[in-house]
Structures are given as structure tokens and as C-alpha cells.
Amino acid sequence: DVKVTQSSRYLVKRTGEKVFLECVQDMDHENMFWYRQDPGLGLRLIYFSYDVKMKEKGDIPEGYSVSREKKERFSLILESASTNQTSMYLCASTGGENTGELFFGEGSRLTVL
Amino acid sequence: AQTVTQSQPEMSVQEAETVTLSCTYDTSENNYYLFWYKQPPSRQMILVIRQEAYKQQNATENRFSVNFQKAAKSFSLKISDSQLGDTAMYFCALRRGQGAQKLVFGQGTRLTINP
């Protein structure tokens, strides 16, 4: 089974702190994604990566950056956390086939005080 | 731009009943894929069912089936003989055709199955 693992289920940070959210997948997938989930807004794409060191902005990249140094790992970085970044963050991965099924991690719930 | 709209924020039915979740979408593509994902409470999101736009036949997976109306850009999910384990958030999603991997998601519908 595909496994996507997010490093932290729950985090509490203070405004202005730098935050790292880590995601690792074990299926050698080329594509990895970071989504943000908010009630009433569904999932919104922050960034995605289609190869090592390659990245593209999604719909809401402001205030975030990403890093993909190895194929299995995709990190989301909040350089200076703000209260409006309090949210659930979901990592996902998929291979290059047309079936397009995304495999998700369990999510990281971030609270910024 | 591609958009997905789920107009039912919450739904609730009794166990064993049939329930239909609505989804409409907008895309200028002719070749695309539609998905329903399920997110159980405190658990990972998983794929329920997928539909290729070029296939006229509606997809079915056990108790889950879709009603795909391409001209109306509608993609509803029907759950038959609902079970307590079907309680979850359900998200409709759209993906462009070959070569594209990004999904656009709807707002979600919280479905509760009551005993």
C-alpha cells in the first residue's frame, strides 16, 4: 500500500515563527502536493512538485515556500507564520499515470497563536 | 479556469437509506477526469470513485455510483444502503486530461449516517 507520512499531526506555533511541515511518500511518485483545507473552502493547492528540485505555485502560494531535495520528501515552509495560516495541511502524491489518484497523508493541523 | 461546486455543506440520513451528493463543475477542457474522495473523521482522505469524461457509462464501485451529466456539467455521487462507516466529508474533484496531475476540489459535503 502507498504510504504518505506527514511528520506532525498537531502543531502550535507563535506568530512570526518559522514552521516546517514534512511529508514523505514510499511509492516513488514523481508528483507531490501541498493542500490547505479550511471549512467551507475545501482543499486549495498551495504548491506542487513534479520532480526533484522542481516546483510550481498553486492557487494560494503567498506566505509559503517548498523544498524537494529528494524524490520521496516534500517540505512546506512557512517563513513567518501568521494567524491566518491556522489550518489543516494535507500532503499528497501521485505517479505519472492518467488514473490521477492522489494518495494523502493524515494531515497536519497547525495553530498559529 | 476550472471550478468545482458542492452546494450541500451538510447532509444526514438514516442507516440503510440511499443518499445523493451533488457536484457541479466548470471546465473548458474536453478531456478530463472527475473524482469523489472521502475523508473519514480524523483519518486520511481516500478515493471513492473516478469517472473519465470521455466514457458515457457511469462509474460504479459496489454501493457507490455516479450520475455523470456531461452537458450539464454535473457529477453526483449516490450511496446505496448507507452504513455508519460512510460518515465522512466527501469532496468532488476535477482534473484536466493527460499530462496534468493537479486536482481542483469542491467545498466538501459533511455526510452523517445515523443509526
Side-chain angles (χ1 to χ4, degrees):
Chain A
D1 284 350
V2 174
K3 192 164 180 65
V4 179
T5 303
Q6 294 184 228
S7 55
S8 304
R9 290 294 303 275
Y10 301 95
L11 302 95
V12 179
K13 299 291 182 181
R14 298 213 171 268
T15 301
E17 281 192 83
K18 191 169 186 176
V19 181
F20 291 88
L21 299 180
E22 304 283 335
C23 176
V24 177
Q25 50 93 4
D26 65 358
M27 280 301 292
D28 201 36
H29 283 165
E30 293 88 355
N31 306 286
M32 297 187 74
F33 306 82
W34 276 105
Y35 282 92
R36 172 175 170 162
Q37 181 180 358
D38 297 290
L41 297 177
L43 277 69
R44 293 178 292 166
L45 182 64
I46 304 171
Y47 267 97
F48 72 101
S49 170
Y50 50 90
D51 202 349
V52 175
K53 298 188 185 295
M54 306 301 286
K55 61 186 179 185
E56 280 195 27
K57 293 180 180 180
D59 300 317
I60 53 165
E62 297 78 17
Y64 303 95
S65 62
V66 291
S67 172
R68 193 163 180 205
E69 296 296 319
K70 294 184 177 182
K71 191 174 186 180
E72 66 271 18
R73 188 180 299 270
F74 191 37
S75 302
L76 180 68
I77 303 156
L78 288 67
E79 293 288 344
S80 178
S82 63
T83 54
N84 63 11
Q85 292 178 310
T86 291
S87 187
M88 171 70 85
Y89 291 87
L90 296 178
C91 176
S93 72
T94 187
E97 67 281 359
N98 283 332
T99 56
E101 179 177 358
L102 287 186
F103 296 88
F104 284 87
E106 291 185 315
S108 297
R109 184 168 293 283
L110 171 66
T111 300
V112 182
L113 303 175
Chain B
Q2 297 179 306
T3 61
V4 177
T5 302
Q6 294 177 248
S7 58
Q8 304 155 310
E10 294 189 22
M11 295 188 72
S12 178
V13 298
Q14 296 300 120
E15 194 176 5
E17 289 183 347
T18 294
V19 59
T20 299
L21 280 57
S22 301
C23 172
T24 58
Y25 62 92
D26 191 23
T27 179
S28 58
E29 305 282 334
N30 202 37
N31 183 25
Y32 53 89
Y33 298 80
L34 292 160
F35 306 83
W36 279 98
Y37 280 85
K38 170 185 177 181
Q39 186 182 41
S42 300
R43 291 177 61 187
Q44 286 164 290
M45 185 112 61
I46 57 173
L47 177 67
V48 175
I49 198 165
R50 97 182 101 231
Q51 174 83 40
E52 290 94 337
Y54 63 86
K55 288 187 177 180
Q56 293 193 354
Q57 187 171 5
N58 289 324
T60 299
E61 289 286 343
N62 301 313
R63 298 182 295 108
F64 298 87
S65 61
V66 299
N67 183 4
F68 174 45
Q69 302 288 328
K70 191 172 184 179
K73 294 184 177 176
S74 170
F75 183 61
S76 61
L77 175 70
K78 186 172 83 170
I79 306 174
S80 303
D81 186 25
S82 58
Q83 300 175 359
L84 297 179
D86 296 332
T87 292
M89 282 290 290
Y90 287 82
F91 292 95
C92 179
L94 165 69
R95 202 203 90 192
R96 289 200 338 251
Q98 188 168 356
Q101 300 296 336
K102 293 186 292 183
L103 266 66
V104 175
F105 286 84
Q107 300 89 337
T109 297
R110 183 176 301 279
L111 175 65
T112 301
I113 309 299
N114 298 306

